[in-house]
Amino acid sequence: MIHALYSAGLAVGLAGYLPVYLLRRRRQAAALGLAQRLGHMEPGLPPEPRCWIHAVSVGEAVAAAPLVEAMRARWPRLAVVMTTATPTGARVVQERLGGLVTHRYFPVDLPGAVRRALDAVRPRLFVGMETELWPNFYRALGARDIPAMMANGRISDRSYRGYRRIRFAIAPMLADVSAFGMQTQRDAERIVALGAAADRVVVTGTLKADVEPPVDDAAARWSQLLGLEAGDPVWVAGSTHRGEDEAVLRAFRTAGAGVERLRLVLAPRHPERVPEVERLVAQHGLSAVRRSTLAATPPAGTPAGARPVVLVDTVGELAGIYAAADVVFVGGSLVPVGGHNVLEPALRRRPVLFGPHVANFRESADLLLEAGAAVVVTDAEDLGRRVAELLAAPERRRAMGQAAVEAVARRRGALRETLALVEKLVVRAGGAG
């Protein structure tokens, strides 16, 4: 009865949302993936045996990358079909893992779409990144005896409050999951409280901490690509949300009053918001240039001569762009969103600033704060002051950056633990050959 009510409600909701979805995507027909969302995954699937990995969007796809690479190295005959729910996630998968996986869009969680998708993919096992709970999908996996696991699992404060209200529906679904690889002890306790069997739950840590610190020329390359001049102090504000862009621009004016030639690179979390942010930049009496309009090798002094704010309107480049920064602010934290990945700039040896709202990345934020590698800011005025202070103290920046890398290094091991859980599923599924 619960599944029937859920399916009926979901179908009604999808029918109501479809006109809006089509209107928003009317100029992006290729990004719709409607046939795949309805479960039609052919043609072009790789040869069997196959593993299905789901990463809902950009962050999950980035976290999945080291796991995918390790799995392909460990079981080269096990093909990977990787699904996302967003076009931006799809682009990241295709750009970073295109040679290792076959991308498809995740089907809507209706019985018919799920049945068609599983009939087509025929996976030996399923790995869901973080905490994507789809009742019909997991029920179908269980009915077909397809082993399933949760990797890099986390449950935010807000999600936990919501899940507890419907524990009666969540617990049966968790019974169809063979293993839970959770990021922290708190995440593990929460998934058990929601109904997962305690003997199936393992604290693995976060896969994002297992990314090796890059050793490359990214700083120089991105300075050139973004039109930055040598010697200019650079502040990158990444993954900002509505309400934060205004604060960042106000802080930029504050910091810029005391820091000569300060450059700002502003990356909204959702690139479709770039026109809105452009208008905000103009309202502050500043000029802006989009990352996508910059030439691969911009002439010297252009556009840096005009010193515009660089707006990042591309997907999957932010981690590299952090390398060009002297100071980084990670958004989603001055407004109650829950924060975003603070480990990416930390791995680039950059001092990190973020606001008080970091519930989604609490453990990572605490890790950096305890190491002296990060600073919490409360508002635009505080943000501008802290940026100026750090830019005036190069030795402190270097010490914070080194502390960040060392702190993250102490948290490595999630990939090994997660791969061990995957291996158990591979064995249960009859091997990868």
Side-chain angles (χ1 to χ4, degrees):
M1 177 62 73
I2 292 175
H3 280 85
L5 291 174
Y6 163 77
S7 299
L10 179 60
V12 170
L14 289 172
Y17 179 69
L18 184 59
V20 177
Y21 180 73
L22 292 172
L23 182 63
R24 286 182 176 178
R25 300 294 182 186
R26 64 188 184 278
R27 295 181 181 176
Q28 302 179 42
L32 282 171
L34 280 177
Q36 294 172 20
R37 294 177 195 273
L38 294 175
H40 301 288
M41 299 293 192
E42 308 93 341
L45 290 172
E48 296 186 55
R50 306 179 188 121
C51 168
W52 184 335
I53 297 178
H54 177 56
V56 63
S57 193
V58 175
E60 294 81 4
V62 170
L67 179 60
V68 170
E69 292 164 351
M71 288 178 62
R72 292 309 312 270
R74 174 71 178 81
W75 301 288
R77 294 186 60 191
L78 183 64
V80 174
V81 175
M82 192 164 182
T83 53
T84 65
T86 68
T88 51
R91 285 200 293 273
V92 170
V93 169
Q94 290 161 348
E95 290 169 5
R96 297 186 62 159
L97 297 168
L100 296 175
V101 305
T102 299
H103 176 266
R104 293 291 186 269
Y105 282 104
F106 194 75
V108 295
D109 196 38
L110 293 173
V114 168
R115 183 186 66 255
R116 286 188 290 271
L118 288 174
D119 285 345
V121 178
R122 292 169 51 86
R124 287 279 184 92
L125 63 149
F126 173 81
V127 179
M129 300 300 299
E130 301 201 0
T131 314
E132 284 287 295
L133 301 178
W134 297 106
N136 285 322
F137 186 81
Y138 277 105
R139 187 185 195 189
L141 290 176
R144 296 174 185 231
D145 197 28
I146 297 173
M149 71 169 283
M150 183 183 297
N152 215 44
R154 65 182 177 93
I155 303 177
S156 67
D157 296 345
R158 182 168 56 183
S159 295
Y160 185 54
R161 287 193 296 270
Y163 288 149
R164 280 193 305 178
R165 296 189 188 100
I166 56 171
R167 185 186 182 281
F168 66 92
I170 296 290
M173 175 172 45
L174 298 181
D176 290 318
V177 181
S178 304
F180 300 83
M182 308 303 290
Q183 293 187 23
T184 69
Q185 183 62 37
R186 180 168 59 176
D187 294 316
E189 291 169 356
R190 286 178 170 179
I191 202 71
V192 170
L194 292 174
D199 60 354
R200 298 183 182 184
V201 178
V202 177
V203 178
T204 60
T206 173
L207 287 169
K208 293 175 181 177
D210 271 38
V211 178
E212 291 292 332
V215 180
D216 54 26
D217 61 348
R221 184 173 72 253
W222 277 108
S223 292
Q224 181 183 49
L225 290 173
L226 297 173
L228 307 174
E229 291 183 344
D232 283 359
V234 179
W235 171 24
V236 175
S239 296
T240 58
H241 288 252
R242 185 173 289 114
E244 290 182 312
D245 310 293
E246 171 71 23
V248 166
L249 291 168
R250 286 169 53 200
F252 176 56
R253 294 184 73 89
T254 299
V259 180
E260 187 178 357
R261 295 175 22 177
L262 176 62
R263 299 298 308 279
L264 172 63
V265 179
L266 179 53
R269 177 67 175 181
H270 302 109
E272 61 268 23
R273 291 187 52 249
V274 165
E276 171 188 332
V277 179
E278 281 178 319
R279 291 190 291 272
L280 277 176
V281 172
Q283 290 170 14
H284 280 262
L286 302 167
S287 61
V289 61
R290 296 189 184 194
R291 153 71 183 112
S292 61
T293 67
L294 294 171
T297 54
T302 304
R307 307 205 184 282
V309 175
V310 178
L311 297 180
V312 180
D313 59 343
T314 53
V315 175
E317 295 185 331
L318 184 56
I321 290 173
Y322 283 144
D326 293 294
V327 178
V328 169
F329 167 73
V330 178
S333 58
L334 275 178
V335 293
V337 169
H340 293 295
N341 187 0
V342 297
L343 298 185
E344 285 183 337
L347 286 166
R348 291 287 184 177
R349 290 182 166 84
R350 298 300 180 256
V352 184
L353 305 175
F354 47 78
H357 302 289
V358 290
N360 292 344
F361 292 86
R362 172 64 62 193
E363 287 72 22
S364 296
D366 288 346
L367 175 72
L368 297 184
L369 289 171
E370 290 167 7
V375 176
V376 177
V377 296
T378 56
D379 53 28
E381 182 180 355
D382 191 24
L383 178 58
R385 182 172 63 251
R386 297 291 190 174
V387 169
E389 288 175 357
L390 285 171
L391 290 174
E395 287 301 322
R396 183 186 176 195
R397 295 200 310 272
R398 280 192 285 272
M400 290 178 69
Q402 184 60 32
V405 169
E406 292 174 358
V408 175
R410 291 193 293 271
R411 291 283 297 275
R412 289 201 183 103
L415 180 58
R416 180 183 64 252
E417 297 291 336
T418 304
L419 201 62
L421 291 178
V422 173
E423 184 155 24
K424 292 179 181 178
L425 266 67
V426 171
V427 171
R428 174 181 157 181

